[in-house]
Amino acid sequence: MERELYEFVVKQFGQPACDRIERRNRGGLANEKGADYEDSYAVFSIARYGRDVLRDNNIVEIRSQMLQFVDDLVIYDVSNDERRSFQLKNVAALTWRDIADDFRRQHRIDTEYFLCRKSVTGLVLSSSELCGRLQDSMPEDLVKHEDRPAHSKCIHFPAFSVNRMLMEHSEFREAIASLCVFPDREDCLYVVHSVLMGVWKNNKNQLFNVRDFIFEAHRCANPNYFRLPEVVECELDVRLRQVLDNYANMAYEIRGGHLTIKWRDILTISPPQMIDSPDFAVIVSE
């Protein structure tokens, strides 16, 4: 495929454009500057797409640093034949003069080479001021291509710590919470995010199915706070159930394989071990 893509790029845009795409790919794979920001947006995107993937069984593929002009993150929604390519910039200054041609060329590659039904190119920026300025100054042909609606857009995504993102960025929190069995507990959200990040860093330079990605994160997680539709609620040990039933003003529930115990709305206890795990069995026996 790479050879055919090179031939398309040379034919449509010339040899200098082909040289540029090669330099970008080599530089992106070797350069770790800005990687934390790119990884954060990738995990956010995986979690956000994960909700629909798990609910509707859609096929969505994701990868970073693909061989293309807009290459920091590529998401291909196979089910809807939609290709989304993102360039991420954690900078204070940037102009369209630096990147507009990359966005134009990427749109043509998506629609003429890959023959996608829909192509979107996104510029993700950590600075809200710069994001607004570049959105307002976007070249007309990126805003509207012939009779089609805009295929390019600017997206503000802060370069905050994970804890700050969970507290202040509602879309980020909602995306992570959608995969968490305890969506109101920040400690559990942090664990889910950390596992997703670990799996992403190990696989980001290869094409990955989002559904497989989330199930791999679920497999690796310990403690496991992932909420998946296939998880069948386990039965609580009979002896433990009898003990809990004998306490007045105590309520308990099993959610996503985890036991949560509440006493008079004052005290809440939720062991990190899943109730079908060997570690939980040790707790019960003691």
Side-chain angles (χ1 to χ4, degrees):
M1 168 144 341
E2 287 188 5
R3 184 173 61 83
E4 286 143 356
L5 179 56
Y6 280 136
E7 291 173 355
F8 177 87
V9 170
V10 171
K11 181 178 180 180
Q12 298 297 326
F13 313 120
Q15 185 62 47
C18 188
D19 296 340
R20 176 176 173 79
I21 204 174
E22 282 191 295
R23 287 195 303 271
R24 288 181 65 88
N25 186 249
R26 288 196 302 268
L29 292 173
N31 187 8
E32 287 297 313
K33 184 180 180 181
D36 289 345
Y37 180 63
E38 295 171 12
D39 291 343
S40 180
Y41 189 76
V43 168
F44 164 63
S45 300
I46 289 167
R48 189 167 52 176
Y49 273 94
R51 293 175 294 189
D52 297 336
V53 165
L54 295 176
R55 184 187 64 231
D56 303 329
N57 290 319
N58 289 347
I59 300 174
V60 177
E61 299 173 338
I62 188 167
R63 182 186 164 171
S64 72
Q65 302 303 332
M66 287 193 73
L67 186 66
Q68 53 182 58
F69 289 100
V70 181
D71 64 344
D72 284 335
L73 185 69
V74 180
I75 301 172
Y76 180 36
D77 185 343
V78 179
S79 299
N80 295 303
D81 194 20
E82 179 175 309
R83 192 176 182 90
R84 293 177 174 266
S85 305
F86 300 93
Q87 207 69 41
L88 289 96
K89 298 291 185 181
N90 184 12
V91 296
L94 185 71
T95 68
W96 279 110
R97 181 174 53 194
D98 304 320
I99 55 175
D101 281 344
D102 290 335
F103 279 62
R104 294 183 183 104
R105 291 165 177 165
Q106 190 58 53
H107 180 68
R108 288 192 58 191
I109 289 174
D110 290 347
T111 55
E112 298 176 24
Y113 177 77
F114 289 111
L115 301 177
C116 293
R117 182 186 64 84
K118 184 176 181 181
S119 165
V120 176
T121 48
L123 178 60
V124 183
L125 299 146
S126 59
S127 166
S128 59
E129 179 183 352
L130 181 61
C131 182
R133 190 160 66 244
L134 289 176
Q135 182 66 48
D136 291 340
S137 62
M138 186 180 294
E140 187 175 350
D141 62 319
L142 298 184
V143 176
K144 186 176 182 181
H145 182 69
E146 296 177 351
D147 294 327
R148 301 175 185 175
H151 63 78
S152 297
K153 60 182 178 179
C154 295
I155 302 163
H156 175 230
F157 185 77
F160 296 159
S161 67
V162 177
N163 287 333
R164 187 175 176 185
M165 289 293 286
L166 289 172
M167 289 188 295
E168 299 182 14
H169 196 283
S170 59
E171 289 185 38
F172 183 90
R173 183 186 180 97
E174 288 169 7
I176 303 299
S178 70
L179 300 178
C180 184
V181 71
F182 299 117
D184 298 325
R185 288 179 49 183
E186 288 188 7
D187 60 326
C188 297
L189 296 179
Y190 186 87
V191 170
V192 168
H193 177 273
S194 297
V195 177
L196 290 171
M197 181 63 75
V199 175
W200 169 251
K201 287 186 175 182
N202 287 332
N203 296 280
K204 62 182 181 180
N205 291 327
Q206 59 180 301
L207 194 64
F208 216 110
N209 183 297
V210 169
R211 182 182 181 84
D212 293 342
F213 184 102
I214 293 172
F215 274 89
E216 175 66 10
H218 176 268
R219 186 188 67 80
C220 296
N222 184 23
N224 194 331
Y225 294 126
F226 279 85
R227 177 175 60 189
L228 301 180
E230 284 77 5
V231 172
V232 178
E233 297 298 2
C234 307
E235 288 293 327
L236 197 60
D237 181 86
V238 174
R239 294 167 297 168
L240 180 57
R241 188 183 294 276
Q242 289 173 344
V243 171
L244 295 174
D245 286 341
N246 286 333
Y247 281 92
N249 302 311
M250 180 175 286
Y252 61 90
E253 66 171 342
I254 300 170
R255 187 195 309 171
H258 290 269
L259 172 66
T260 299
I261 304 170
K262 294 183 179 180
W263 183 72
R264 291 185 175 180
D265 293 328
I266 298 174
L267 178 66
T268 299
I269 301 173
S270 180
Q273 299 85 0
M274 298 183 75
I275 66 173
D276 62 348
S277 68
D279 291 340
F280 191 85
V282 172
I283 295 174
V284 172
S285 65
E286 294 176 348

